[in-house]
């Protein structure tokens, strides 16, 4: 026994000595840098990447196996560009646990590391080769065997093959990553961001045991602009035996600029588990929240609070299906003076790229504030489908816009189908109605449409039919007959108790339906549309009040009652003063009632965005009602280009005339709201036209009108000040109402009124003329009269000049009225002037023109010679004057001297009346 014991002791000592000597020899002769060079050669051979270890590899064996590396870098495949680098890394492994098949690492420290991730235009990542294995692996050249793949999948799914036991247990005392940087470049989208100042810490890492993990860093980038802090905390658990990995209590916070968004912060919370055997991610209590602001093309969205909640969900990578019991998204915020709210709910969902099962959805969007409220709701019946084609029995949209007591509502429903391959949305049986409400009026417009949207081909097609007029009311039911006791049936009593509905008016004339066909193509590059509208009858008086009410919200708010009263009194006082001044002494120019638009005002106006759409519009309306006027047979063809709108031809019938013309808006070198209009028409009834559009009706008759005008703006207060061009009006005959120009031929009566012609006394005063021809040239809203020809039985106009001020609504015309066979009598003496030119001035506002004879010019003209016989007849002892027809032949001689004195007095009065003294 002692002999064997001695042998064992000697053997053990010998082995220990050999081990010590061997370890000493190994430490003295082993050079780890030699193996580093071999590792570099192996990496280059298998991956075509250059592995560089610049510093010496430091190795220690006792009391722990320690490895320290410095200046390590790995290149891109086939390139010298750096993919990853580490300034310094150190790993320390305990020796004795290795003998029991356990790997215990005291700590792992990595300092100054960097990774450059690049995704090329084909969507491939620059580290895909490292995941796939060496390029020369035999499996890469082996032909695919579907049966083998199915068998392998079945084996992976079976319980006996699921568990792969690890032969070594790993225990890492700590993980410390410092001064790291991860850069990402997407060549397809141009994205370039990086995670800088990256630091990560982990507690004790042991399989099947949870451990803490934390990460901090800063997101930076210029495409898009990124400057935000990142923090992440979680509890991790690794189970390589069961191939399950879990992230519990995940809390990620990002604060700062993220492109157009500013997060305050963006947070992600929840639990995540990955099962590598089943290839499935499971999400529990998942929440994604954002608080901050977002800059959009339409303005800044502020005070945003949004969130996405997924209580329980599963993402199956094998079937590429995301499923769960519920999903909810909420958002609210502020845009300028308006607030918005959004809600989306999926009670149950199963969403995949190629299959969707039993997924219903409801959504709602509200925009309120600034005097208006927009409310839109969407309800989608459960979706079913596979192979990229999904169907729903019902997709309904219910939307309303309410503003200043007006409301526009729309309710639409249709079965829907969506093809993911062609990105084609089809709603072939879209039915519903639009409801317009304003004050106490309402209008319901039934709709029937077919909508097709093809995203891949970038085509949209809409066929819409709308009933724009109410249907004729049914004939009223006959009154119920009572029995002998005077009682009626219970149903008749209820009918009588209800207030009878007012029957809708019966529409006569053209049909009640409007048909719209519209297409839109290539909306992402060069959008082009084609619109064709046909309607039998369009009553804009029923439709426009609702639209005008919404446009009025952009107008300035009305004054208070005190301010309105003061402004009204001031305006009334100015109007009275102007009227008095016009009656007594008309001035050459009347003050403008509408403010002129200055260059500064124009520059201060916000620049209108220019549309990039182009297309064609065709319009055909049999009957149009606008402001109580009926316009028939409207047709137009228009072309919209990126910088202008050209209406190459339009025609209509209104006011007894067929009008044709052209219209252009904008241009390559013009402002978007600059326009050019040409219009021609014959047989145009002037009185209803002027009464409706100008507010006066003292000109009647059929006229020929020619316009060639340019201007800018769509509001009268603006375009009246910019109007330029030419206008021509010709009337073979007509009437002037409220004025009798024949009074000019009765000069003796006119003297009693100091040369002021009576006007505005109603239809009793009338001038029937034989011809009127007027030509004007406009500049900045002021029309200069180039030619005016007026022919009357007793009066014709010659040498006319003046101006028409459209912004002020005034006329200032000076003309010469030529009179024939004018009779003048005073003081019992009468004379006749064969031809007399009377200077006449017509001035004042449209509503009250003033007609005034210019006596100074008259006295210096033809009337000067005509007064000679009249004055001689008034002088005493004159024999040349013809006696008054009313005088008595046997007049006493004693009265001769008195009669002479009376004639002298009459002469004085006549001269005073003549010259206004």
């Amino acid at each position: 026994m002692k002999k064997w014991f001695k042998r064992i002791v000697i053997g053990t000592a010998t082995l220990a000595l050999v081990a010590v000597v061997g370890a000493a020899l190994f430490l003295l002769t082993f050079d780890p840098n030699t193996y580093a060079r071999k590792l570099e050669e192996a990496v280059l051979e298998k991956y075509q990447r250059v592995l560089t270890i610049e510093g010496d590899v430091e190795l220690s064996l006792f009391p722990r196996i320690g490895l320290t590396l410095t200046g390590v870098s790995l290149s891109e495949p086939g390139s010298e560009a750096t993919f990853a680098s580490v300034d310094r890394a150190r790993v320390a492994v305990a020796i004795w646990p290795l003998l029991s098949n356990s790997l215990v690492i005291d700590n792992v420290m990595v300092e100054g590391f960097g990774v450059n991730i690049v995704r090329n235009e084909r969507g491939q990542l620059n580290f895909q080769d490292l995941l796939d294995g060496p390029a020369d692996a035999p499996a890469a050249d082996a032909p695919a065997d579907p049966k083998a793949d199915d068998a392998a999948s079945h084996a992976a799914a079976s319980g006996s093959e699921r568990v792969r036991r690890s032969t070594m247990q790993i225990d890492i005392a700590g993980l410390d990553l410092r001064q790291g940087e991860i850069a990402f470049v997407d060549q397809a989208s141009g994205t370039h961001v990086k995670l800088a100042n990256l630091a990560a810490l982990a507690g004790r890492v042991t399989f099947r045991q949870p451990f803490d993990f934390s990460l901090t860093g800063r997101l930076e980038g210029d495409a898009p602009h990124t400057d935000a802090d990142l923090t992440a905390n979680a509890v991790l658990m690794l189970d390589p035996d069961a191939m399950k990995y879990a992230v519990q209590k995940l809390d990620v916070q990002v604060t700062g600029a993220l492109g157009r968004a500013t997060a305050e912060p963006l947070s992600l919370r929840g639990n995540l588990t990955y099962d590598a055997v089943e290839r499935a991610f499971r999400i529990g209590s998942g929440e994604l929240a954002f608080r901050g602001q977002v800059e959009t093309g339409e303005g800044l969205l502020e005070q945003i609070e949004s969130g996405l909640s997924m209580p329980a969900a599963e993402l199956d990578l094998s079937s590429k299906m995301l499923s769960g019991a519920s999903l909810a998204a909420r958002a609210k915020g502020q845009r300028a003076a308006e607030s918005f709210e959004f809600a989306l709910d999926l009670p149950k969902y199963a969403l995949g790229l190629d299959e969707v099962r039993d997924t219903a959805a409801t959504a709602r969007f509200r925009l309120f504030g600034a005097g208006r409220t927009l409310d839109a709701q969407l309800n989608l019946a459960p979706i079913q489908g596979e192979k990229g084609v999904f169907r729903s029995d019902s997709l309904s949209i219910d939307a309303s816009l309410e503003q200043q007591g007006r409301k526009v509502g729309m309710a639409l429903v249709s079965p829907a189908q969506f093809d993911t391959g062609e990105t084609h949305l089809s709603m072939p049986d879209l039915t519903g109605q639009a409801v317009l409400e304003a004050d106490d009026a309402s209008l319901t417009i039934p709709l029937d449409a077919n909508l097709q949207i093809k995203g891949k081909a970038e085509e949209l097609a809409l066929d819409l039919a709308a009933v724009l007029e109410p249907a004729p009311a049914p004939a009223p039911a006959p009154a119920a007959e009572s029995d002998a006791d005077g009682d009626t049936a219970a149903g008749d009593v209820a009918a009588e108790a209800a207030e009878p509905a007012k029957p809708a008016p019966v529409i006569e004339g053209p049909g009640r339906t409007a048909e719209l066909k519209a297409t839109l193509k290539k909306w992402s590059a060069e959008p082009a549309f084609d619109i064709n509208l046909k309607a039998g009858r369009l009553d804009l008086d029923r439709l426009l009040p609702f639209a005008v009410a919404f446009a009025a919200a952009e107008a300035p708010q009305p004054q208070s009652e005190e301010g309105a009263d003061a402004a009204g009194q001031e305006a009334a006082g100015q109007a009275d003063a102007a009227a008095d001044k016009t009656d007594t002494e008309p001035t050459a120019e009347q003050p403008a009632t509408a403010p002129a638009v200055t260059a500064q005002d124009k520059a201060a106006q916000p620049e209108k965005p220019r549309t990039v759409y182009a297309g064609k519009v065709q319009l055909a309306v049999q009957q149009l009602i606008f402001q109580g006027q009926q316009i028939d047979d409207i047709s137009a063809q228009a072309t919209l280009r990126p910088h202008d709108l050209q209406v190459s031809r339009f025609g209509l019938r209104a006011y007894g005339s067929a009008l044709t013309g052209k219209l252009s808006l904008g241009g390559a070198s013009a402002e978007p709201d600059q326009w050019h209009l040409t219009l021609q028409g014959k047989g145009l009834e002037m009185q209803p036209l002027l009464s409706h559009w100008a507010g006066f009706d003292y000109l009647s008759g059929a006229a020929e009108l020619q316009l060639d005008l340019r201007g800018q703006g769509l509001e009268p207060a603006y375009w009246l000040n910019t109007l330029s061009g030419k206008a021509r009006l010709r009337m073979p005959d007509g009437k002037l109402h409220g004025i009798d120009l024949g009074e000019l031929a009765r000069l003796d009566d006119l003297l009693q009124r100091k040369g002021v012609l009576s006007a505005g006394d109603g239809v009793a005063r009338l001038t029937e003329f034989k011809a009127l021809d007027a030509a004007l040239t406009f500049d900045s809203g002021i029309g200069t009269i180039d030619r005016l020809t007026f022919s009357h039985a007793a009066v014709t106009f010659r040498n006319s000049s003046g101006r028409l001020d459209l912004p002020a609504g005034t006329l200032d015309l000076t003309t010469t009225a030529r009179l024939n066979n004018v009779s003048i009598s005073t003081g019992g003496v009468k004379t006749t002037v064969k031809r007399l030119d009377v200077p006449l001035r017509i001035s004042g506002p449209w509503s009250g023109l003033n007609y005034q004879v210019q006596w100074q010019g008259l006295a210096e003209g033809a009337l000067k010679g005509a007064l000679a016989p009249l004055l001689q007849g008034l002088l005493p002892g004159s024999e040349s004057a013809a006696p008054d027809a009313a005088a008595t032949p046997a007049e006493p001689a004693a009265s001769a001297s008195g009669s002479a004195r009376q004639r002298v007095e009459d002469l004085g009065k006549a001269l005073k009346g003549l010259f206004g003294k």
Side-chain angles (χ1 to χ4, degrees):
M1 184 67 181
K2 294 181 179 180
K3 184 179 180 180
W4 285 105
F5 179 75
K6 291 181 179 180
R7 291 178 179 178
I8 292 174
V9 172
I10 294 173
T12 303
T14 303
L15 289 176
L17 179 61
V18 171
V20 171
V21 173
L25 293 175
F26 178 80
L27 291 174
L28 294 174
T29 61
F30 177 73
D31 184 7
N33 294 286
T34 302
Y35 292 92
R37 304 289 88 81
K38 293 182 179 181
L39 180 62
E40 292 175 353
E41 294 175 359
V43 170
L44 180 61
E45 179 182 356
K46 292 186 176 183
Y47 296 98
Q48 288 76 50
R49 292 174 180 263
V50 177
L51 175 64
T52 302
I53 302 177
E54 297 179 353
D56 293 335
V57 179
E58 299 178 4
L59 179 66
S60 62
L61 296 179
F62 191 82
R64 299 177 181 86
I65 300 177
L67 182 65
T68 302
L69 302 175
T70 58
V72 181
S73 64
L74 181 66
S75 72
E76 297 280 1
S79 171
E80 295 182 356
T82 302
F83 164 68
S85 64
V86 175
D87 292 343
R88 186 172 182 271
R90 184 178 183 277
V91 180
V93 180
I95 298 176
W96 299 116
L98 294 176
L99 302 178
S100 59
N101 200 28
S102 296
L103 177 62
V104 177
I105 301 176
D106 283 354
N107 64 39
V108 176
M109 191 275 292
V110 179
E111 185 176 2
F113 64 94
V115 180
N116 296 315
I117 302 175
V118 178
R119 182 180 180 183
N120 61 24
E121 296 180 352
R122 298 186 301 273
Q124 298 175 342
L125 295 170
N126 60 342
F127 59 86
Q128 191 66 41
D129 59 323
L130 301 178
L131 300 178
D132 295 339
D136 57 352
D141 298 330
D145 188 353
K147 294 182 179 180
D149 291 343
D150 293 341
S153 299
H154 179 73
S158 63
S160 60
E161 295 291 332
R162 285 186 184 182
V163 180
R164 300 179 181 179
R165 293 295 178 182
S166 174
T167 59
M168 178 173 289
Q169 301 298 318
I170 297 178
D171 189 346
I172 302 176
L175 178 65
D176 187 1
L177 307 179
R178 305 174 186 175
Q179 300 177 8
E181 180 176 299
I182 300 176
F184 174 73
V185 176
D186 190 336
Q187 296 177 347
S189 63
T191 301
H192 187 183
V193 295
K194 66 180 180 179
L195 177 58
N197 299 328
L198 177 61
L201 292 173
R204 183 174 181 179
V205 180
T206 305
F207 292 158
R208 296 178 295 280
Q209 296 294 327
F211 61 91
D212 294 333
F213 177 82
S214 64
L215 181 147
T216 61
R218 184 163 188 82
L219 291 169
E220 300 175 354
D222 52 8
H225 171 68
T226 306
D227 188 7
D229 292 326
L230 169 67
T231 61
N233 294 279
V235 176
L236 308 182
M237 188 173 68
L238 310 177
D239 189 354
D241 292 343
M243 300 186 69
K244 293 182 179 181
Y245 310 92
V247 180
Q248 304 292 326
K249 299 180 181 180
L250 177 64
D251 185 0
V252 180
Q253 303 282 330
V254 180
T255 304
L258 300 173
R260 293 187 175 185
T262 301
E264 300 173 358
L266 170 68
S267 62
L268 174 64
R269 295 184 177 90
N271 302 319
L272 179 65
T273 301
Y274 176 62
D275 190 329
V277 176
E278 297 182 358
R279 300 190 64 202
F281 285 96
R282 295 180 177 86
I283 303 171
S285 304
E287 293 182 1
L288 176 64
F290 173 83
R291 184 161 51 88
Q293 63 184 27
V294 176
E295 180 68 39
T296 68
E298 301 297 327
L300 181 64
L301 304 182
E302 301 177 285
Q303 302 177 23
I304 300 175
E305 295 183 9
S306 60
L308 175 67
S309 175
M310 302 175 67
E314 179 176 325
L315 176 60
D316 191 334
L317 298 181
S318 300
S319 61
K320 299 179 181 179
M321 178 77 68
L322 176 65
S323 58
S326 66
L327 183 148
R330 298 289 186 270
K332 65 179 181 178
Q334 193 84 11
R335 178 183 176 272
E338 296 178 305
S339 301
F340 66 88
E341 295 178 354
F342 172 77
L344 172 67
D345 290 285
L346 276 65
K348 180 182 179 182
Y349 58 95
L351 305 174
L353 296 179
D354 298 323
E355 183 181 6
V356 175
R357 300 191 303 265
D358 300 327
T359 301
T362 61
R364 184 178 184 182
F365 176 77
R366 293 183 68 239
L367 181 66
F368 52 93
R372 68 173 180 175
T373 300
L374 172 65
D375 192 346
Q377 300 183 53
L378 180 144
N379 289 278
L380 182 64
I383 307 174
Q384 306 287 346
E386 58 184 2
K387 297 182 179 180
V389 180
F390 311 124
R391 301 175 181 85
S392 175
D393 293 337
S394 174
L395 171 60
S396 63
I397 301 173
D398 192 349
S400 65
L401 175 62
E402 188 172 356
Q403 186 172 357
Q404 291 187 344
R406 273 72 170 174
K407 185 177 181 180
V408 176
M410 182 173 293
L412 302 172
V413 62
S414 172
Q417 176 176 303
F418 184 71
D419 187 337
T420 58
E422 299 295 329
T423 59
H424 179 192
L425 174 63
S426 174
M427 301 179 71
D429 191 14
L430 190 62
T431 60
Q433 63 182 16
V435 179
L436 311 179
E437 298 178 3
D439 299 328
D440 296 331
S442 64
L443 175 64
T444 301
I445 303 175
L447 302 173
D448 189 1
N450 179 3
L451 177 63
Q452 305 290 327
I453 303 176
K454 300 179 180 179
K456 188 174 182 179
E458 293 193 354
E459 294 182 2
L460 181 148
L462 173 66
D463 290 345
L464 174 67
V467 180
L468 301 179
E469 297 285 356
E481 297 182 0
S482 60
D483 54 20
D485 298 331
D487 296 329
T488 60
D492 295 332
V493 173
E496 291 176 359
E499 182 180 356
K502 297 181 180 179
V506 178
I507 303 301
E508 299 180 356
R512 301 180 296 115
T513 302
E515 298 180 356
L516 173 68
K517 295 182 180 294
T519 60
L520 176 64
K521 300 180 179 179
K522 304 299 180 184
W523 54 67
S524 66
E526 298 178 355
F529 63 85
D530 193 342
I531 298 176
N532 192 331
L533 174 63
K534 295 182 180 180
R537 175 186 170 99
L538 279 179
D539 190 346
L540 296 185
D541 289 344
R542 293 172 57 87
L543 301 176
L544 286 184
F546 305 98
V548 171
F550 298 115
E554 305 300 330
Q557 296 296 325
Q559 299 178 354
S560 61
E561 295 182 0
E562 294 81 2
D565 293 340
Q569 293 175 2
E570 182 180 358
Q574 293 177 353
D576 294 340
D580 295 340
K581 188 174 182 180
T582 302
D583 292 340
T584 57
E585 187 180 9
T587 58
E589 296 184 3
Q590 298 293 337
T593 58
V597 178
T598 63
Q600 291 81 359
D601 294 336
K602 181 180 175 181
Q605 294 180 354
E607 183 179 355
K608 299 179 177 62
R610 294 175 180 243
T611 178
V612 297
Y613 286 84
K616 297 180 179 180
V617 178
Q618 293 185 352
L619 179 67
V621 179
Q622 297 181 27
Q623 188 178 95
L624 179 72
I625 307 299
F626 180 55
Q627 293 190 359
Q629 303 299 310
Q630 177 175 318
I631 305 174
D632 299 323
D633 301 332
I634 301 173
S635 63
Q637 292 183 354
T639 301
L640 177 65
R641 293 177 292 197
H643 298 286
D644 64 343
L645 170 67
Q646 297 288 337
V647 182
S648 58
R649 179 179 61 83
F650 70 85
L652 55 90
R653 293 188 60 84
Y655 304 103
S657 172
L659 299 172
T660 60
K662 298 179 180 180
L663 174 67
S664 65
L665 183 65
S669 59
E671 294 295 328
D673 56 351
Q674 288 183 344
W675 50 265
H676 179 201
L677 170 68
T678 60
L679 183 67
Q680 308 86 31
K682 294 183 178 181
L684 194 64
E685 294 294 338
M686 295 301 298
Q687 190 171 42
L689 174 66
L690 294 175
S691 175
H692 185 261
W693 296 105
F696 59 87
D697 58 356
Y698 45 75
L699 177 62
S700 64
E704 178 183 352
L705 180 66
Q706 294 179 347
L707 299 178
D708 188 352
L709 301 174
R710 298 177 184 270
Q712 184 173 355
L714 302 178
E715 294 294 331
Y718 187 40
W719 66 259
L720 282 176
N721 290 275
T722 62
L723 189 68
S724 63
K726 293 184 177 294
R728 180 82 179 271
L729 178 69
R730 287 182 286 190
M731 299 178 65
D733 54 50
K735 299 177 182 179
L736 282 174
H737 299 265
I739 184 69
D740 183 7
L741 293 179
E743 291 182 355
L744 292 172
R746 298 186 291 275
L747 198 58
D748 50 349
D749 294 336
L750 190 61
L751 293 175
Q752 304 301 323
R753 296 194 299 275
K754 297 183 180 182
V756 179
L757 275 69
S758 301
D761 293 341
V763 296
R765 298 185 180 277
L766 183 69
T767 300
E768 297 185 4
F769 58 86
K770 296 180 180 180
L772 172 63
D773 189 350
L776 296 93
T777 299
F778 287 94
D779 185 13
S780 299
I782 307 298
T784 301
I785 300 175
D786 299 328
R787 179 175 64 256
L788 177 62
T789 302
F790 181 84
S791 178
H792 176 261
V795 182
T796 58
F797 286 175
R798 301 173 61 251
N799 303 326
S800 302
S801 64
R803 50 184 268 163
L804 184 67
D805 192 336
L806 293 180
T810 60
L811 171 67
D812 189 357
L813 170 66
T814 301
T815 185
T816 300
R818 172 159 290 182
L819 312 178
N820 298 317
N821 300 321
V822 179
S823 175
I824 306 175
S825 63
T826 184
V829 180
K830 180 171 63 175
T831 185
T832 300
V833 181
K834 293 184 178 180
R835 188 177 68 181
L836 180 63
D837 290 340
V838 178
L840 180 65
R841 183 179 182 183
I842 306 174
S843 61
W846 309 134
S847 57
L849 290 175
N850 181 271
Y851 300 81
Q852 175 73 48
V853 175
Q854 302 297 100
W855 287 114
Q856 183 177 0
L858 179 62
E860 295 175 354
L863 185 60
K864 191 173 184 179
L867 290 176
L870 178 62
L871 295 176
Q872 291 176 2
L874 293 174
L875 292 175
S878 174
E879 300 291 339
S880 61
D884 191 351
T888 304
E891 193 174 276
S895 63
S897 61
S899 177
R901 288 193 299 271
Q902 182 64 35
R903 291 176 182 179
V904 173
E905 294 177 0
D906 292 341
L907 174 61
K909 293 179 179 179
L911 292 175
K912 289 182 179 180
L914 180 62
F915 297 105
K917 303 294 185 180

